């Protein structure tokens, strides 16, 4: 792997390249797409991935305090517990050996008997809303750390604020496209880590954001390359202040 922007460097330190900024909460999206913008191949993102993408994926997970994903992504990608990794020991010093996964779901259509809820080293978090089915909420509260954020749908500003209240300020979101779009529309995205695979896919695959229209100005801060795959890091333009995570009382 080599860095080709903002300078040229062979074998860059991947942990340093993706280190979180100090002294403030930070929410990053991590996604992979084809060269023509498809967020998946044959229904899953794995077909767009590469060895380099997998290394960066694991690095981003190791650096994060919490991994956020929508329920559809959890089901489609068959999420299980995050396994401990020996090489994370240094970058996770002073924190649990693995980050918890936080699942965003309005319907609570999750396998609450699955390993993600019975065998996770760090207790899984479920983020839902008041309108979620009562009995499912009760079961979810028994088998996870339950956050209720919002009335008829999940209020992501309140959800992110609740994660911060738990000390989980380095937030890694792995999608899917609808969650990404909502985070962007709410002004919560600080960074986008985007792997661009050298494939043309076409068809009906969603883009990495698919939902509410949103415009977030980004600055290209880094590009790595390996075997024709580009690993781009974009950060929110500094001239655009991030809104408070907690909405005001009139919201």
């Amino acid at each position: 792997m080599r860095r080709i922007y903002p300078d040229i460097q062979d074998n860059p330190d991947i942990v340093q390249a993706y280190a979180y900024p100090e002294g403030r909460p930070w929410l990053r999206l991590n996604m992979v797409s084809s060269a023509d913008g498809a967020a998946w191949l044959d229904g899953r993102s794995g077909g767009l991935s590469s060895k380099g993408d997998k290394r960066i994926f694991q690095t981003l997970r190791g650096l994060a305090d919490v991994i956020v994903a929508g329920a559809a992504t959890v089901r489609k990608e068959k999420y299980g517990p995050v396994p401990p990794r020996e090489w994370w020991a240094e970058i996770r010093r002073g924190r649990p050996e693995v980050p918890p996964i936080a699942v965003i779901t309005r319907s609570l259509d999750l396998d609450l008997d699955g390993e993600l809820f019975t065998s996770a080293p760090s207790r899984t978090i479920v983020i839902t809303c008041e309108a979620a089915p009562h009995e499912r909420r009760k079961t979810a509260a028994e088998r996870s750390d339950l956050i209720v954020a919002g009335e008829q749908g999940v209020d992501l500003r309140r959800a992110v604020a609740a994660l911060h209240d738990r000390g989980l300020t380095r937030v890694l979101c792995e999608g899917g496209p609808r969650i990404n779009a909502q985070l962007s529309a709410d002004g919560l995205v600080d960074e986008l880590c985007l792997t661009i695979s050298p494939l043309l896919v076409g068809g009906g695959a969603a883009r990495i954001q698919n939902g509410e229209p949103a415009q977030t100005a980004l600055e290209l801060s880094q590009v790595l390359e390996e075997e024709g795959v580009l690993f781009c890091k974009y950060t929110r333009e500094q001239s655009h202040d991030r809104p408070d995570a907690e909405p005001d009382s009139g919201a």
Side-chain angles (χ1 to χ4, degrees):
M1 187 173 290
R2 59 180 182 144
R3 181 160 58 218
I4 59 177
Y5 181 84
D7 57 7
I8 305 296
Q9 181 181 342
D10 290 331
N11 300 313
D13 184 329
I14 302 300
V15 170
Q16 184 60 39
Y18 288 96
Y20 281 86
E22 295 292 335
R24 58 154 297 176
W26 195 258
L27 190 149
R28 63 172 30 141
L29 306 181
N30 182 40
M31 295 294 289
V32 60
S33 80
S34 65
D36 58 337
W40 56 68
L41 180 63
D42 297 328
R44 299 184 67 180
S45 63
L48 298 172
S49 190
S50 67
K51 291 181 180 179
D53 179 57
K54 290 180 173 64
R55 292 202 305 276
I56 290 175
F57 175 84
Q58 295 300 343
T59 299
L60 296 185
R61 282 188 155 198
L63 290 169
D65 290 334
V66 61
I67 299 164
V68 174
T73 295
V74 168
R75 292 190 297 267
K76 185 183 298 183
E77 302 288 348
K78 303 186 187 322
Y79 272 49
V82 177
R85 297 179 183 275
E86 290 185 10
W87 65 273
W88 282 359
E90 180 63 28
I91 64 176
R92 298 200 61 79
R93 181 170 296 180
R95 297 185 292 168
E97 62 178 354
V98 300
I101 290 177
V103 185
I104 298 171
T105 172
R106 182 186 183 281
S107 66
L108 291 172
D109 182 13
L110 299 167
D111 180 7
L112 297 172
D113 295 317
E115 290 187 352
L116 183 59
F117 297 95
T118 61
S119 304
S122 292
R123 188 171 173 85
T124 296
I125 299 167
V126 170
I127 303 173
T128 191
C129 61
E130 294 287 354
H134 177 75
E135 288 302 316
R136 295 292 290 172
R137 272 181 58 184
K138 184 178 178 181
T139 303
E142 295 170 352
R143 301 181 188 178
S144 71
D145 179 3
L146 186 69
I147 294 173
V148 179
E151 303 299 326
Q152 295 303 310
V154 177
D155 183 324
L156 289 186
R157 290 191 181 188
R158 293 183 183 179
V160 170
L163 293 176
H164 292 174
D165 288 344
R166 287 162 169 75
L168 307 174
T169 59
R170 299 174 178 181
V171 181
L172 170 65
C173 181
E174 296 179 349
R178 291 193 176 276
I179 296 296
N180 293 346
Q182 189 176 345
L183 287 168
S184 183
D186 286 344
L188 295 169
V189 176
D190 295 299
E191 180 181 299
L192 167 65
C193 298
L194 177 63
T195 297
I196 303 176
S197 179
L199 289 173
L200 294 174
V201 172
R207 297 179 300 167
I208 64 167
Q209 287 200 163
N210 186 33
E212 299 183 50
Q215 292 187 2
T216 301
L218 302 174
E219 297 175 336
L220 180 64
S221 57
Q222 176 177 269
V223 182
L224 309 181
E225 183 275 337
E226 184 179 79
E227 297 180 345
V229 181
L230 299 178
F231 309 95
C232 302
K233 184 169 75 169
Y234 300 90
T235 52
R236 186 182 179 121
E237 282 191 355
Q238 295 303 305
S239 59
H240 294 261
D241 292 332
R242 183 170 181 257
D244 293 335
E246 184 68 38
D248 61 38
S249 59

